[in-house]
Amino acid sequence: MSIETTLPKNFALYKELNYSRQSPAYFTINLLTALLFLLFFSLLSQVAAAMRTDFDGASIGGLRGWAVLGVFLLAFVMIFVHEALHLVSFWSLTGVKPTFSLTGLVPRTIVPNLYLPKGIYLLIKATPLVLLTGVYLAVLPYFPLSWLMFSFFFFAGNIAYSASDIWAMAETIKAPRGTLVEDVGDFVRLFSDKPFIARPPAKTK
């Protein structure tokens, strides 16, 4: 399949993902984000302890004064870098430049209405998660010890912030071959030339 600017006539909506504030999935995504952050903050600490001789993983110290402000600034920078990587990957894979805007204080990548093949869409969605995590693990043994805790916040935060990306990728992978994807921010729509077949209800005894 190629990138389409209009939906082919034989395609119809296969599935819609809605993670806007009004949707039931909004709470689930935010809960998953929190759980992913706690899980990977702990895992990165353990990985650092296994890769470094100057860090035992027992304690990362408390956050005081300017350090608290530093964590909030890191969160903003992390979201900015995450969205910038989406922008660059979208631009490089489609040849179409998206726009960058702020929703409140949160950076967002606004993409034009295109219908993307599954493979291209999955690469765009996976770029921040895979690239930043891979680079971090590569440089972790050489990361300054005094900044190690902040690196946990940044990179665990990037993984957690990818919760909606992970959901969209999982549903896209499950969709039929040839599916086209339209991502319009809080909505991801999957279109297919194959009708959606609902799972039959379980038989009761």
Side-chain angles (χ1 to χ4, degrees):
M1 293 295 296
S2 59
I3 298 170
E4 303 287 344
T5 55
T6 57
L7 189 66
K9 291 183 179 179
N10 60 325
F11 275 64
L13 182 65
Y14 177 82
K15 193 166 191 177
E16 180 180 76
L17 310 181
N18 176 1
Y19 33 79
S20 64
R21 289 179 181 272
Q22 294 75 30
S23 72
Y26 182 76
F27 173 78
T28 304
I29 290 294
N30 281 277
L31 178 61
L32 179 59
T33 297
L35 292 175
L36 284 173
F37 177 80
L38 294 173
L39 172 63
F40 280 94
F41 191 97
S42 175
L43 284 176
L44 289 176
S45 176
Q46 294 176 41
V47 170
M51 297 176 69
R52 302 176 61 124
T53 58
D54 57 350
F55 178 72
D56 60 9
S59 174
I60 57 173
L63 291 180
R64 298 176 183 176
W66 67 270
V68 176
L69 176 61
V71 168
F72 282 103
L73 290 176
L74 271 180
F76 180 82
V77 172
M78 179 274 296
I79 295 173
F80 183 90
V81 172
H82 182 104
E83 293 296 329
L85 286 172
H86 275 316
L87 185 151
V88 171
S89 62
F90 185 95
W91 192 0
S92 63
L93 290 169
T94 67
V96 178
K97 183 181 179 181
T99 56
F100 209 60
S101 67
L102 287 177
T103 303
L105 293 176
V106 179
R108 296 290 296 272
T109 301
I110 309 299
V111 302
N113 286 0
L114 293 177
Y115 300 93
L116 305 176
K118 284 177 64 172
I120 290 178
Y121 182 73
L122 289 171
L123 285 173
I124 293 169
K125 278 294 182 184
T127 296
L129 175 62
V130 175
L131 185 61
L132 286 179
T133 304
V135 169
Y136 178 63
L137 292 177
V139 302
L140 182 55
Y142 315 103
F143 216 87
L145 182 61
S146 58
W147 287 90
L148 201 55
M149 179 189 65
F150 294 103
S151 75
F152 297 158
F153 275 102
F154 185 96
F155 291 97
N158 177 63
I159 296 171
Y161 189 69
S162 300
S164 60
D165 294 338
I166 294 169
W167 181 34
M169 287 189 290
E171 293 295 339
T172 302
I173 290 170
K174 292 190 295 184
R177 179 178 297 181
T179 294
L180 293 173
V181 187
E182 181 191 33
D183 191 325
V184 287
D186 290 334
F187 296 87
V188 176
R189 300 185 180 101
L190 309 176
F191 296 89
S192 175
D193 58 352
K194 300 175 179 62
F196 179 77
I197 302 175
R199 181 178 297 178
K203 294 182 179 180
T204 57
K205 295 182 179 180

Coordinates of all heavy atoms in Angstrom, one line a residue, residues 73-87 100-102 105-109 132 154 158 161:
L73 N 11.1 20.6 34.5 CA 11.7 21.0 33.3 C 12.0 19.9 32.4 O 11.8 19.9 31.1 CB 12.9 21.9 33.5 CG 12.6 23.3 34.1 CD1 14.0 24.0 34.5 CD2 11.8 24.1 33.2
L74 N 12.5 18.8 33.0 CA 12.9 17.6 32.2 C 11.6 17.0 31.6 O 11.7 16.5 30.4 CB 13.5 16.5 33.2 CG 15.0 16.6 33.3 CD1 15.5 15.5 34.3 CD2 15.7 16.4 32.0
A75 N 10.5 17.0 32.3 CA 9.3 16.5 31.7 C 8.9 17.2 30.5 O 8.5 16.6 29.5 CB 8.1 16.6 32.8
F76 N 9.0 18.6 30.5 CA 8.7 19.4 29.3 C 9.6 19.1 28.2 O 9.2 18.9 27.0 CB 8.7 20.9 29.7 CG 8.4 21.8 28.5 CD1 7.1 22.0 28.2 CD2 9.4 22.4 27.8 CE1 6.7 22.8 27.1 CE2 9.1 23.2 26.7 CZ 7.7 23.4 26.4
V77 N 10.9 19.0 28.5 CA 11.9 18.7 27.5 C 11.7 17.4 26.9 O 11.8 17.2 25.7 CB 13.4 18.9 28.1 CG1 14.4 18.4 27.0 CG2 13.6 20.3 28.5
M78 N 11.4 16.4 27.7 CA 11.1 15.0 27.2 C 10.0 15.0 26.2 O 10.1 14.4 25.2 CB 10.8 14.1 28.4 CG 10.5 12.7 28.1 SD 8.8 12.4 27.6 CE 8.0 12.8 29.2
I79 N 8.9 15.7 26.6 CA 7.7 15.7 25.7 C 8.1 16.4 24.4 O 7.7 15.9 23.3 CB 6.5 16.4 26.4 CG1 6.1 15.5 27.6 CG2 5.4 16.5 25.4 CD1 5.0 16.2 28.4
F80 N 8.9 17.5 24.5 CA 9.3 18.2 23.3 C 10.1 17.3 22.4 O 9.9 17.2 21.2 CB 10.1 19.4 23.7 CG 10.5 20.3 22.5 CD1 9.7 21.3 22.1 CD2 11.7 20.1 21.9 CE1 10.1 22.1 21.0 CE2 12.2 20.9 20.8 CZ 11.3 21.9 20.4
V81 N 11.1 16.6 23.0 CA 12.0 15.7 22.2 C 11.2 14.6 21.6 O 11.3 14.2 20.4 CB 13.1 15.2 23.0 CG1 13.9 14.1 22.3 CG2 14.0 16.3 23.5
H82 N 10.3 14.0 22.4 CA 9.4 12.9 21.9 C 8.6 13.3 20.7 O 8.6 12.6 19.7 CB 8.5 12.5 23.1 CG 7.6 11.3 22.7 ND1 7.8 10.1 23.2 CD2 6.4 11.3 22.0 CE1 6.8 9.3 22.8 NE2 6.0 10.0 22.0
E83 N 7.9 14.5 20.8 CA 7.1 15.0 19.7 C 8.0 15.4 18.5 O 7.6 15.2 17.3 CB 6.2 16.1 20.1 CG 5.2 15.8 21.1 CD 4.2 14.8 20.6 OE1 3.9 14.8 19.4 OE2 3.6 14.0 21.4
A84 N 9.2 15.9 18.7 CA 10.1 16.3 17.6 C 10.5 15.1 16.8 O 10.6 15.1 15.6 CB 11.3 17.0 18.2
L85 N 10.7 14.0 17.5 CA 11.1 12.7 16.8 C 9.9 12.2 16.0 O 10.2 11.6 14.9 CB 11.6 11.7 17.8 CG 13.0 11.9 18.4 CD1 13.3 11.0 19.6 CD2 14.0 11.9 17.4
H86 N 8.7 12.3 16.5 CA 7.6 11.9 15.7 C 7.5 12.8 14.4 O 7.3 12.3 13.3 CB 6.3 12.2 16.5 CG 5.9 11.0 17.3 ND1 5.9 9.7 17.0 CD2 5.4 11.0 18.6 CE1 5.5 9.0 17.9 NE2 5.2 9.7 19.0
L87 N 7.8 14.1 14.6 CA 7.7 15.0 13.5 C 8.8 14.6 12.4 O 8.5 14.6 11.2 CB 8.0 16.5 14.0 CG 7.9 17.6 12.9 CD1 7.4 18.9 13.6 CD2 9.2 17.9 12.2
F100 N 4.2 21.9 14.3 CA 4.5 21.7 15.7 C 3.8 22.8 16.4 O 3.9 24.0 16.1 CB 6.0 21.9 15.9 CG 6.5 21.1 17.1 CD1 6.4 19.7 17.2 CD2 7.2 21.7 18.1 CE1 6.9 19.0 18.2 CE2 7.7 21.0 19.2 CZ 7.6 19.6 19.3
S101 N 3.0 22.5 17.4 CA 2.2 23.5 18.2 C 2.2 23.1 19.6 O 2.6 22.0 20.1 CB 0.8 23.6 17.6 OG 0.1 22.4 17.9
L102 N 1.7 24.1 20.4 CA 1.5 23.9 21.9 C 0.0 23.8 22.2 O -0.8 24.6 21.8 CB 2.1 25.0 22.7 CG 3.7 25.1 22.7 CD1 4.1 26.3 23.5 CD2 4.2 23.9 23.4
L105 N 0.6 23.9 27.6 CA 2.0 23.8 27.7 C 2.6 22.6 27.1 O 3.8 22.3 27.2 CB 2.5 24.0 29.2 CG 2.2 25.3 29.8 CD1 2.5 25.3 31.3 CD2 2.8 26.5 29.1
V106 N 1.8 21.7 26.5 CA 2.2 20.5 26.0 C 2.5 20.5 24.5 O 1.6 20.9 23.7 CB 1.2 19.4 26.3 CG1 1.7 18.0 25.7 CG2 0.9 19.3 27.8
P107 N 3.7 20.3 24.0 CA 4.0 20.3 22.6 C 3.2 19.1 21.9 O 3.1 18.0 22.4 CB 5.5 20.0 22.5 CG 6.0 20.3 23.9 CD 4.9 20.0 24.8
R108 N 2.7 19.4 20.7 CA 2.0 18.4 19.9 C 2.5 18.5 18.5 O 2.7 19.6 17.9 CB 0.5 18.6 20.0 CG -0.1 18.5 21.4 CD -0.1 17.0 21.8 NE -0.9 16.2 21.0 CZ -2.3 16.0 21.2 NH1 -2.9 16.6 22.2 NH2 -2.9 15.2 20.4
T109 N 2.6 17.3 17.9 CA 2.9 17.2 16.4 C 1.5 17.1 15.7 O 0.8 16.2 15.9 CB 3.7 16.0 16.1 OG1 5.0 16.1 16.8 CG2 4.1 16.0 14.6
L132 N 15.1 6.7 21.6 CA 15.6 7.2 22.8 C 16.0 6.2 23.8 O 17.0 6.3 24.5 CB 14.5 8.1 23.4 CG 14.3 9.5 22.7 CD1 13.2 10.3 23.4 CD2 15.6 10.3 22.7
F154 N 13.8 11.1 32.9 CA 13.6 11.5 31.5 C 13.3 10.3 30.7 O 12.3 10.3 29.9 CB 14.9 12.1 31.0 CG 14.8 12.7 29.6 CD1 14.5 14.0 29.4 CD2 15.0 11.8 28.5 CE1 14.4 14.5 28.1 CE2 14.9 12.3 27.2 CZ 14.6 13.6 27.0
N158 N 9.8 9.1 29.0 CA 9.6 8.9 27.6 C 8.8 7.6 27.3 O 7.9 7.5 26.5 CB 10.9 8.9 26.9 CG 10.7 8.6 25.4 OD1 10.1 9.4 24.7 ND2 11.3 7.5 24.9
Y161 N 5.2 8.1 28.5 CA 4.5 9.0 27.6 C 4.1 8.3 26.3 O 3.2 8.8 25.6 CB 5.4 10.2 27.3 CG 4.7 11.3 26.6 CD1 3.7 12.1 27.2 CD2 5.0 11.7 25.3 CE1 3.0 13.1 26.6 CE2 4.4 12.7 24.6 CZ 3.4 13.4 25.3 OH 2.7 14.4 24.6

